[in-house]
């Protein structure tokens, strides 16, 4: 099916400009994050670094598939992207990359929950080897789960023995399989991840508050109130990064989730549908989540900022060296 936006004309104009800007920013910041984090000079554990690199890679692919390719299909008709095989593949990549990005955020949140709240399990679970296995499993399952979308479409017409465009098959609207699959897909992204992240963060906050009170009480009893606590400082940095990433995810996905839930309720109870403008704004905010993590690293991690400065200065340093020579 040729992708068409349901947005109002003025919002469509905004989307026409917004998407390429988001592509430039998203590709740049995610590549920067991948390079800097891969150097392993940011003072983060190997386990945490693995998750952050994987999340940056996943966000990079979301920008390419869900922003760039979708934008090209919308505004540049009659290209090789309109060949049915290519179009169907793109319609698989869009949900697959999004689900992968979302569930890697869940995996990172769970890893930090274990590291902060489950000290006995921490030594076994919060390792680089476990992180790699979790990332690989989540990524493979994300793409496998999205494969059925390929069979949702059929060609609109045949030209020179080549099928063109993607139109939805008639049975999609009547098949029980497609109904159940569509519901389960929406539960997997974003409903269930949204709930899991909220629950894990709530439990983490509760544990931290209880642990902090206990440690302060022990310090007071031992007359060491003014002594810094390295463990609490380390834990605080980890919590700040966790809450920055998961908080950003929840904030930017919240409008999209509300729109989705309202649409389901409206369909069942025959309420009036939401304005297309509201849905488009929710969708654009959700896409923005692919560009925020690098900004959050910069704000919350001192060593990441230093590495970022070094990367930015590198081209100018090389130019100055070549001039001096």
């Amino acid at each position: 099916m040729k992708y068409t936006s349901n947005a109002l004309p003025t919002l469509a104009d905004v989307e026409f400009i917004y998407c390429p800007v988001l592509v430039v920013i998203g590709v740049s910041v995610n590549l920067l994050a991948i390079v800097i984090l891969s150097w392993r000079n940011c003072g983060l554990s190997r386990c945490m670094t693995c998750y952050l690199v994987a999340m940056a890679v996943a966000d990079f692919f979301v920008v390419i598939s869900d922003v760039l390719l979708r934008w090209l299909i919308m505004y540049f008709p009659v290209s090789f992207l309109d060949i049915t095989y290519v179009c169907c593949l793109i319609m698989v990549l869009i949900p697959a990359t999004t689900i992968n990005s979302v569930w890697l955020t869940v995996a990172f949140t769970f890893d930090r929950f274990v590291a902060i709240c489950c000290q006995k399990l921490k030594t076994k679970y919060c390792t680089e080897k476990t992180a790699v296995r979790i990332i690989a499993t989540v990524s493979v399952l994300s793409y496998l789960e999205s494969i059925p979308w390929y069979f949702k479409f059929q060609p609109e017409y045949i030209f020179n023995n080549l099928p063109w465009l993607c139109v939805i098959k008639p049975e999609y609207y009547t098949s029980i399989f497609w109904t159940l699959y569509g519901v389960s897909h929406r539960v997997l992204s974003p409903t269930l991840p949204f709930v899991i992240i909220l629950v894990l963060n709530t439990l983490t906050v509760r544990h931290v508050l209880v642990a902090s009170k206990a440690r302060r009480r022990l310090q007071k009893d031992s007359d060491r109130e003014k002594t810094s606590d390295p463990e609490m400082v380390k834990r605080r940095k980890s919590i700040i990064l966790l809450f920055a990433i998961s908080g950003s995810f929840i904030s930017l996905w919240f409008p999209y989730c509300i729109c989705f839930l309202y649409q389901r309720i409206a369909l069942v109870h025959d309420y009036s549908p939401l304005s297309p403008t509201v849905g488009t704004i929710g969708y654009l905010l959700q896409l923005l989540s692919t560009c925020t993590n690098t900004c959050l690293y910069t704000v919350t991690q001192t060593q990441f900022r230093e590495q970022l400065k070094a990367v930015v200065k590198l081209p100018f340093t090389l130019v100055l060296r070549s001039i001096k020579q």
Side-chain angles (χ1 to χ4, degrees), residues 271-306:
Y271 295 158
S272 58
L274 283 173
S275 165
T277 302
V278 176
T280 303
I281 291 174
Y283 166 69
L284 296 180
L285 287 174
Q286 172 241 308
L287 290 180
L288 184 61
S289 65
T290 61
C291 304
T292 56
N293 283 350
T294 302
C295 299
L296 296 175
Y297 305 151
T298 305
V299 171
T300 61
Q301 303 294 311
T302 304
Q303 288 174 289
F304 185 91
R305 287 198 298 271
E306 296 301 322

Side-chain angles (χ1 to χ4, degrees), residues 2 8 12 45 61 69 73 140 171 174-175 193 204 225 297:
K2 190 71 178 175
L8 296 175
S45 67
F61 284 120
L69 294 180
I73 290 176
V140 170
E171 56 265 30
T174 57
S175 170
T204 302
E225 293 180 78
Y297 305 151

